[in-house]
Amino acid sequence: FTTLLYTIKFELSMAESRTRGRGRGASRGNVFGQKRPIESYDYDEFSGIDGFSKKRKIMDDVYRFLVRADLVKSIIGRGGEHIKLIKDEAKEQSIDTKVSIYAQGANGVSLMEGAQDRVMSVQTTIEGLELALQHLVPSIQIHRGGRGGRRGVRGGSSTQKLELRLIVPSHCCSGIIGKGGSLIKKMKEETKSYIQVYTLPLPLSEEYCVRIQNFEQSDLIRTAVRVFDSIADIKGRSPIIMYDPIYFEHGEYGDTGSYIDTEWYQEALRSGVAQPTPYKALRGMKGG
């Protein structure tokens, strides 16, 4: 099993936490400057990704998201306060909720230096997911300064579109899109959300990014819940190679939804340097 970055240890007292000394200096890949040993962002032990591609099934109660590495601190909060708040509010409604952000790959080795993606999982019920996202959405947003923020978003509208990037197994894409795009079209009309199912998988995996945007937080969350609910019956049907974030050059794997080259691709598409990859072209390549 993948080692988790944050399985927040709330049983630690504040006094015990304060007695922890600062760890040794972070490596170049440590963009957060966190303390050790609970949090570790050292990437110098990276030994490569080849030779480990074990397929696993996604559990029915696990919902996976793509978040930017430099937003992790904002997401978890000081001392894990945001995660604890989510857990406590869910518990009040008799729902068990666990939010985790992975710092290591499936092989147990720290993620590669320069990897800008992180995988966040929310293990809960579909109702618990909706509750959790009310707290998580503000922290995940990327603003002009390039950092996440919690001000002026929760519970209301934003002057910029809010965004979530969902991660789904490859065999679920058709369940979101529908025949001739019928299902995704209906979802867009009913939620007023922008929904993009990327046509290429996240690098070296069998998972795809689904990007959704909306000005209203409530509608964005409703859209995310709708997408996950639409694939609930098939999500865990087949084992897949899950996405472990890596560093790669812009455009190396095509437009996958990775934060490494999203902005680069947007500019490349606008300028004509890159061309979108439609599903018809992919079917043609597979058939050929």
Side-chain angles (χ1 to χ4, degrees), residues 7 28 39 44 55 69 86-87 89 94 96 116 123 137 142 146 152 178 181 183 189 195 229-230 240 257 262 270:
T7 302
R28 271 194 312 127
E39 304 92 17
D44 53 351
K55 294 192 175 187
I86 292 169
K87 180 179 179 180
E89 287 195 1
S94 301
D96 290 328
Q116 295 180 24
Q123 186 171 12
V137 165
I142 301 170
L183 295 180
E189 292 174 347
I195 308 174
D229 200 37
S230 70
I240 60 166
T262 291
R270 281 193 293 265

Side-chain angles (χ1 to χ4, degrees), residues 166-170 172-173 176 206-210 227-228 231:
L166 287 53
I167 302 177
V168 302
S170 55
C172 293
C173 293
I176 299 170
E206 294 174 335
E207 291 190 292
Y208 283 70
C209 177
V210 179
V227 170
F228 280 125
I231 61 173

Side-chain angles (χ1 to χ4, degrees), residues 65-92:
F65 298 84
L66 198 67
V67 299
R68 243 173 58 167
D70 60 346
L71 300 185
V72 171
K73 284 180 65 177
S74 175
I75 295 169
I76 67 168
R78 187 179 182 87
E81 61 183 2
H82 298 161
I83 306 302
K84 186 178 186 300
L85 180 61
I86 292 169
K87 180 179 179 180
D88 290 346
E89 287 195 1
K91 192 173 182 180
E92 290 177 1

Side-chain angles (χ1 to χ4, degrees), residues 87-104:
K87 180 179 179 180
D88 290 346
E89 287 195 1
K91 192 173 182 180
E92 290 177 1
Q93 300 192 35
S94 301
I95 301 174
D96 290 328
T97 297
K98 179 182 179 182
V99 179
S100 306
I101 300 178
Y102 299 87
Q104 296 179 323

Side-chain angles (χ1 to χ4, degrees), residues 59-230:
M59 292 187 293
D60 291 340
D61 63 345
V62 171
Y63 306 94
R64 286 162 62 84
F65 298 84
L66 198 67
V67 299
R68 243 173 58 167
D70 60 346
L71 300 185
V72 171
K73 284 180 65 177
S74 175
I75 295 169
I76 67 168
R78 187 179 182 87
E81 61 183 2
H82 298 161
I83 306 302
K84 186 178 186 300
L85 180 61
I86 292 169
K87 180 179 179 180
D88 290 346
E89 287 195 1
K91 192 173 182 180
E92 290 177 1
Q93 300 192 35
S94 301
I95 301 174
D96 290 328
T97 297
K98 179 182 179 182
V99 179
S100 306
I101 300 178
Y102 299 87
Q104 296 179 323
N107 57 3
V109 176
S110 297
L111 297 178
M112 186 188 297
E113 180 178 352
Q116 295 180 24
D117 297 331
R118 290 295 181 272
V119 175
M120 178 182 74
S121 75
V122 182
Q123 186 171 12
T124 185
T125 63
I126 198 72
E127 295 81 13
L129 175 64
E130 188 170 358
L131 289 173
L133 288 177
Q134 291 175 14
H135 292 281
L136 292 169
V137 165
S139 303
I140 293 172
Q141 301 314 303
I142 301 170
H143 304 298
R144 290 184 179 181
R147 302 301 300 271
R150 300 178 64 82
R151 295 174 57 189
V153 178
R154 189 182 177 197
S157 59
S158 171
T159 55
Q160 296 178 326
K161 278 189 176 182
L162 306 174
E163 179 179 290
L164 283 172
R165 297 192 189 191
L166 287 53
I167 302 177
V168 302
S170 55
H171 58 268
C172 293
C173 293
S174 59
I176 299 170
I177 298 169
K179 188 175 181 179
S182 58
L183 295 180
I184 195 170
K185 181 181 178 182
K186 183 179 180 181
M187 254 192 288
K188 287 179 178 179
E189 292 174 347
E190 293 179 352
T191 64
K192 309 301 182 193
S193 291
Y194 168 82
I195 308 174
Q196 176 186 4
V197 181
Y198 281 81
T199 57
L200 296 174
L202 288 162
L204 305 176
S205 79
E206 294 174 335
E207 291 190 292
Y208 283 70
C209 177
V210 179
R211 186 182 188 185
I212 59 176
Q213 296 177 333
N214 200 300
F215 284 111
E216 300 291 336
Q217 175 172 307
S218 58
D219 290 335
L220 182 76
I221 294 173
R222 186 161 60 97
T223 307
V225 170
R226 282 279 300 272
V227 170
F228 280 125
D229 200 37
S230 70

Side-chain angles (χ1 to χ4, degrees), residues 15-44:
E16 184 180 1
S17 298
R18 285 194 295 268
T19 61
R20 293 184 180 274
R22 291 187 180 274
R24 61 180 174 84
S27 69
R28 271 194 312 127
N30 185 345
V31 296
F32 307 113
Q34 295 295 315
K35 297 180 181 179
R36 296 168 63 97
I38 295 181
E39 304 92 17
S40 174
Y41 290 94
D42 290 340
Y43 298 99
D44 53 351

